[in-house]
Amino acid sequence: MSKISWWRTSFGPEEVERLKSSVSLEHISEGVVTREFEEAFAQLLGVPYAVATPSGSAALLLSLMALGIGPGDEVIVPDRTWIATAHAVLMTGATVILADVRPDIPVMDVSKLAPKITNRTKAIIPVHLNGRGTEMAEIQSLTLGQDIAIIEDACQAMCSRNLTGFLGTQSKAGCFSLSVSKLISTGQGGMVVTRDEEFYRRLKLTKNHGVVDVFTDTWNQMGFNFKYTDLLASFGLVQMSRIPERIEHMKNIYSRYKECLEDIPFVQLIPVDLTVGELPLYAEVRCNQRDRVVSFLNQRGIQVRPVPPNIDISPYISHGGRDNFPNSERFSRESFYLPSGPAQPLGNIEFVIQNLKEFHPAP
Ligand SMILES: *Cc1c(COP(=O)(O)O)cnc(C)c1O
């Protein structure tokens, strides 16, 4: 057992109380509490519409389905993300087109995007990894006048901003996750936000099997059951009240690592730009002796984990050659997460730093 885990979040008696009241009021499945949670979520991000889903993965899939994306269509996804982004595309029957990330930060390299766009491209999914904004204005100008939807995977970017505003609110659909290792959690859960009323209606229909009349159960389009539950929404409403203190805590963790890692040249913090409003979810670092450092810290009771592999290793996703993603491959080899999270004590950060200082890099 590690003494310090890579991620720590929290919930308290307030969540339990709200959950209890939901049960006594028989607010079990999706209903009034889910509406309240959606409204609070939309209001927080300054958008008119939010739609709750069972997970962030389901939020992505629902958005793609509501856009009518399917076999024969191409969807561009960065090679560096959690595999959920690519799997959501594959679930619709569409083809995943992988794009490399920037050399300095692991977000889609928009300057290399143009050649990926074909007459089959129906959507682009920029992934704002660890709160880092993808260059949205550049993607918008690349797709200008074409029938290409932009869906933001903002699962790691709740409450994170670029100079325009909140990430996830600058395209057709922004997808968020409420799983455990995200800013707030309801165990599982997700949210799609949009400014487009017509698209909002499509999302609502699609998440309930296209049902237009719940009394007669008549439907008018293809859909699925992506409903949320009032039980989880009651939990989520309380979690939302914890956001301001969490934002402060995440920034403090990041700043402390930044300060200390300046004296530890073999480990570099992968930057997140606090000055524009980006919010680092994880303490993501890189080191050219990654695997040695990871096992060294793990042996000392500090759980650190490598970042997930690059998407192009999936044998069922064609990529036109592994050497097409040099930046993504490098992040995959070199980067890992140091302990962080909304309930990670700052003292643990000091302990991690102390131990890192005792690591002897190979010459
Ligand atoms: C967490 C995450 C998802 C999926 O969210 P789930 O709620 O776990 O389904 C998708 N994309 C990214 C980038 C994520 O970090």
Side-chain angles (χ1 to χ4, degrees):
M1 262 286 281
S2 300
K3 285 192 285 252
I4 296 180
S5 54
W6 83 279
W7 179 259
R8 263 177 78 178
T9 191
S10 68
F11 42 87
E14 299 86 351
E15 276 87 347
V16 178
E17 281 314 307
R18 186 79 205 237
L19 197 53
K20 270 195 204 158
S21 88
S22 210
V23 175
S24 17
L25 294 165
E26 298 184 11
H27 295 151
I28 303 295
S29 184
E30 181 168 321
V32 289
V33 191
T34 303
R35 290 295 91 72
E36 192 185 337
F37 186 35
E38 289 172 337
E39 275 162 26
F41 205 96
Q43 198 177 16
L44 175 76
L45 297 179
V47 291
Y49 309 108
V51 176
T53 59
S55 67
S57 306
L60 288 161
L61 175 55
L62 172 65
S63 302
L64 291 160
M65 284 174 70
L67 284 164
I69 285 164
D73 297 337
E74 292 179 353
V75 179
I76 303 175
V77 169
D79 192 44
R80 193 110 280 290
T81 176
W82 169 231
I83 187 66
T85 322
H87 281 170
V89 174
L90 295 182
M91 285 292 285
T92 68
T95 304
V96 169
I97 303 296
L98 294 174
D100 199 9
V101 296
R102 289 167 45 166
D104 53 341
I105 51 171
V107 300
M108 193 185 260
D109 189 343
V110 179
S111 72
K112 304 234 174 79
L113 204 56
K116 304 268 174 188
I117 298 173
T118 73
N119 54 12
R120 291 172 167 231
T121 308
K122 281 285 146 39
I124 299 175
I125 310 186
V127 180
H128 304 308
L129 210 66
N130 195 25
R132 299 180 192 91
T134 311
E135 293 148 301
M136 294 303 293
E138 283 77 356
I139 301 182
Q140 273 138 9
S141 63
L142 269 176
T143 55
L144 206 68
Q146 299 172 76
D147 185 20
I148 300 174
I150 304 169
I151 299 173
E152 290 162 89
D153 181 336
C155 287
Q156 297 184 10
M158 186 178 176
C159 293
S160 195
R161 282 172 289 146
N162 61 11
L163 290 173
T164 310
F166 282 117
L167 299 172
T169 67
Q170 299 171 31
S171 62
K172 188 68 141 189
C175 298
F176 295 86
S177 166
L178 302 167
S179 72
V180 175
S181 55
K182 303 293 153 78
L183 183 65
I184 60 167
S185 178
T186 60
Q188 298 293 332
M191 201 68 84
V192 184
V193 304
T194 184
R195 299 176 185 279
D196 180 332
E197 188 182 356
E198 174 52 29
F199 182 62
Y200 170 68
R201 269 199 288 272
R202 304 268 317 175
L203 290 170
K204 297 285 280 180
L205 275 175
T206 309
K207 73 174 268 186
N208 187 21
H209 292 294
V211 167
V212 278
D213 184 329
V214 286
F215 185 67
T216 55
D217 268 341
T218 39
W219 62 93
N220 71 355
Q221 62 153 69
M222 161 73 178
F224 209 67
N225 179 355
F226 290 121
K227 290 200 286 281
Y228 197 55
T229 76
D230 279 8
L231 294 175
L232 294 179
S234 64
F235 202 94
L237 279 162
V238 180
Q239 285 272 298
M240 283 193 74
S241 69
R242 304 187 187 279
I243 289 176
E245 71 182 271
R246 287 191 176 185
I247 290 177
E248 279 319 298
H249 191 66
M250 316 296 272
K251 284 191 197 160
N252 287 341
I253 290 179
Y254 179 86
S255 302
R256 190 65 191 136
Y257 275 129
K258 186 172 186 315
E259 195 180 339
C260 296
L261 288 174
E262 267 155 27
D263 303 329
I264 306 178
F266 55 89
V267 175
Q268 294 97 40
L269 195 60
I270 306 170
V272 172
D273 192 352
L274 298 186
T275 64
V276 301
E278 288 181 353
L279 179 65
L281 190 63
Y282 310 126
E284 217 178 350
V285 297
R286 65 197 296 174
C287 169
N288 60 13
Q289 301 176 34
R290 192 262 314 264
D291 296 346
R292 284 190 63 226
V293 180
V294 166
S295 68
F296 173 83
L297 290 175
N298 283 340
Q299 272 162 26
R300 293 184 167 215
I302 299 165
Q303 185 187 44
V304 291
R305 37 188 297 200
V307 297
N310 34 304
I311 303 307
D312 65 80
I313 66 158
S314 327
Y316 46 87
I317 296 177
S318 69
H319 49 69
R322 294 287 298 279
D323 47 0
N324 287 335
F325 313 97
N327 299 331
S328 172
E329 297 273 357
R330 183 154 178 231
F331 279 113
S332 173
R333 264 196 325 273
E334 296 186 348
S335 37
F336 61 103
Y337 303 117
L338 290 172
S340 69
Q344 189 75 253
L346 289 174
N348 286 359
I349 311 302
E350 303 302 324
F351 185 73
V352 172
I353 294 290
Q354 251 173 40
N355 277 275
L356 254 186
K357 283 184 175 156
E358 288 163 25
F359 174 79
H360 297 291

